[in-house]
Amino acid sequence: MNSPSSLNASSKSTPPSPEAKTTSFFEFWPTWVMYLPVLVQWLGLAVRYRSLTLPLIANPIIPLSGMVGGSKDELMSYAFGHCKAAILPWLYWEVRDEPAAQQAKACILRSAQKGIHLPFVCKPDIGCRGSGVKLIRTLAQLEAVIAVYPKGAGLLCQQLASYEPEVGVFYVRHPQAPQGYIASLTLKETPTVVGDGLKTLEQLVRDDPRAVLLLELYRERNEEYWQHVFKAGERHRLLFSASHCRGAVFTDARDHITPALTQALNRIMGDLPDFYYGRLDVKFSTLERLREGLDLEIVEINGASSESIHIWDKSARLRDAIKALLWQYSTLFKLGAYQRTQGVKPPGVLALIRAWRKERALTRNYPVTD
């Protein structure tokens, strides 16, 4: 399998001035439109490789390779050594048929025993694209979250990171290769407005050429502050979760990929067995330290459904974004083909459908993402 170094080089365009552009013209297209070429390619590769579900064994460590319905707790629990040390501590909690207040108290007590104290992050064990992520500051907030989860559903309580900046690191390694590589690196910024002592939060959002495109999304997540006037110079973060579909801003950071960072990722991912393809959401202290592969705190590890999220940079070109998506799924088929030669059997389509239905049913019950 070839490293996408040539893709990385060719897919960069000369960025326009910040005043000229706040988004790419396709950034907020419906997901299905962007993935139509992927669907066509998938069907073609399925014929070529004689399997419709071959990508679902690219990461044998997790069911369906992490394409859909995967447990975050299960995947992270396989980590040891450097990988385990890099992942922010978390607690898995399965919702029971007990009063939410009673469960919340027990959950906070067990979290404290693992060194996880309020405030902490609470998120679904099964879910994607930032669904249901909440910043929990009080017992009452955790109680409200647990109350909406169905019985038997799992959630994670995770320690807050030491650092604010976040980056998405897309990592690939062929099973026969001694080292992997970073295929994509993307800065993830949660949008912030600055008060002037005169305008309400709604007016500040409307005045921002990018934020106004997601007005209703930001209103939903900032209802209690929507008509509030912030003091001059006071900063207000519109989101907590750095997910693109939730309104975060992504910036292509592939220029910051260095041998030191790649070496650090190889050391970390070498301690997660049978994982070859996915994206890590990582907190870091400074760009300088990131380039050196230092001060990395893993928030989450995502499998086969991951994207090379640099394609959502405002300066990205549609042709290059599609090219990156097609490369991803071609890579998944190649990895799956190798695993098949090692005796791993691709699952049936029904297994994929059942996992998708389960995740979809759970997602309908999750609270609004912060």
Side-chain angles (χ1 to χ4, degrees):
M1 182 181 308
N2 296 323
S3 164
S5 55
S6 59
L7 170 62
N8 290 349
S10 65
S11 61
K12 292 189 178 183
S13 56
T14 303
S17 65
E19 295 78 17
K21 199 171 188 180
T22 58
T23 67
S24 66
F25 76 93
F26 61 89
E27 186 169 345
F28 297 113
W29 283 5
T31 302
W32 67 267
V33 175
M34 290 294 294
Y35 274 82
L36 272 177
V38 173
L39 175 60
V40 174
Q41 180 198 43
W42 188 301
L43 294 175
L45 290 173
V47 173
R48 175 182 172 186
Y49 285 100
R50 303 183 309 282
S51 173
L52 190 63
T53 59
L54 202 56
L56 305 184
I57 57 172
N59 293 321
I61 191 175
I62 42 177
L64 304 180
S65 196
M67 181 65 73
V68 66
S71 165
K72 299 179 178 70
D73 172 68
E74 180 181 357
L75 174 56
M76 293 190 297
S77 294
Y78 288 121
F80 64 93
H82 294 292
C83 190
K84 183 177 181 179
I87 299 173
L88 288 167
W90 79 96
L91 170 78
Y92 174 82
W93 182 267
E94 182 175 315
V95 177
R96 305 190 292 259
D97 190 15
E98 298 175 0
Q102 179 180 331
Q103 292 190 65
K105 290 178 182 178
C107 184
I108 286 179
L109 178 60
R110 283 185 52 193
S111 295
Q113 292 171 349
K114 297 192 68 171
I116 305 168
H117 303 281
L118 293 172
F120 56 63
V121 179
C122 182
K123 56 188 175 183
D125 180 48
I126 296 176
C128 63
R129 298 182 179 272
S131 61
V133 176
K134 305 290 288 185
L135 175 59
I136 303 298
R137 297 183 176 89
T138 66
L139 173 65
Q141 288 179 326
L142 181 59
E143 179 183 340
V145 167
I146 291 176
V148 302
Y149 274 69
K151 178 184 175 182
L155 57 85
L156 305 183
C157 299
Q158 189 171 42
Q159 176 182 304
L160 281 178
S162 307
Y163 316 111
E164 179 63 27
E166 184 173 338
V167 69
V169 185
F170 199 96
Y171 177 84
V172 177
R173 179 173 73 85
H174 191 278
Q176 291 181 304
Q179 302 288 310
Y181 55 88
I182 299 172
S184 172
L185 190 71
T186 310
L187 294 172
K188 306 170 71 176
E189 179 187 358
T190 52
T192 302
V193 294
V194 181
D196 61 2
L198 299 172
K199 296 178 181 176
T200 65
L201 176 59
E202 178 182 3
Q203 291 170 321
L204 292 173
V205 172
R206 287 186 182 277
D207 287 347
D208 186 285
R210 178 187 173 90
V212 71
L213 299 175
L214 301 172
L215 181 70
E216 293 305 317
L217 184 150
Y218 292 141
R219 184 206 305 270
E220 182 181 26
R221 284 153 179 77
N222 295 272
E223 285 186 4
E224 62 178 304
Y225 299 105
W226 200 237
Q227 299 305 320
H228 179 73
V229 176
F230 290 96
K231 298 177 184 178
E234 185 178 1
R235 303 179 67 85
H236 175 75
R237 187 163 64 174
L238 296 172
L239 298 167
F240 172 72
S241 174
S243 176
H244 183 262
C245 66
R246 310 291 169 181
V249 180
F250 287 180
T251 303
D252 188 349
R254 288 174 292 166
D255 286 343
H256 296 289
I257 299 174
T258 64
L261 178 58
T262 301
Q263 182 180 4
L265 261 293
N266 275 312
R267 183 169 59 249
I268 289 170
M269 298 310 291
D271 290 342
L272 184 60
D274 285 335
F275 186 90
Y276 304 105
Y277 175 105
R279 193 187 71 245
L280 291 73
D281 295 327
V282 179
K283 294 286 188 176
F284 64 97
S285 56
T286 66
L287 278 174
E288 291 73 19
R289 300 285 281 180
L290 174 68
R291 290 169 61 89
E292 294 170 5
L294 301 173
D295 300 338
L296 307 180
E297 295 183 338
I298 298 174
V299 175
E300 194 166 299
I301 302 175
N302 306 280
S305 62
S306 302
E307 286 180 333
S308 297
I309 56 177
H310 70 268
I311 66 175
W312 304 119
D313 183 291
K314 68 179 182 180
S315 299
R317 297 181 297 184
L318 178 60
R319 179 186 65 185
D320 297 324
I322 297 299
K323 187 177 179 181
L325 291 174
L326 295 178
W327 170 82
Q328 288 179 202
Y329 287 89
S330 173
T331 300
L332 274 174
F333 267 92
K334 291 176 183 177
L335 289 170
Y338 173 80
Q339 296 299 342
R340 185 169 58 182
T341 66
Q342 303 304 300
V344 183
K345 184 178 179 181
V349 175
L350 285 179
L352 179 64
I353 294 174
R354 284 193 295 266
W356 175 76
R357 285 178 174 173
K358 178 182 178 180
E359 181 174 303
R360 189 180 181 190
L362 286 170
T363 302
R364 284 197 290 263
N365 293 285
Y366 295 155
V368 175
T369 301
D370 282 345

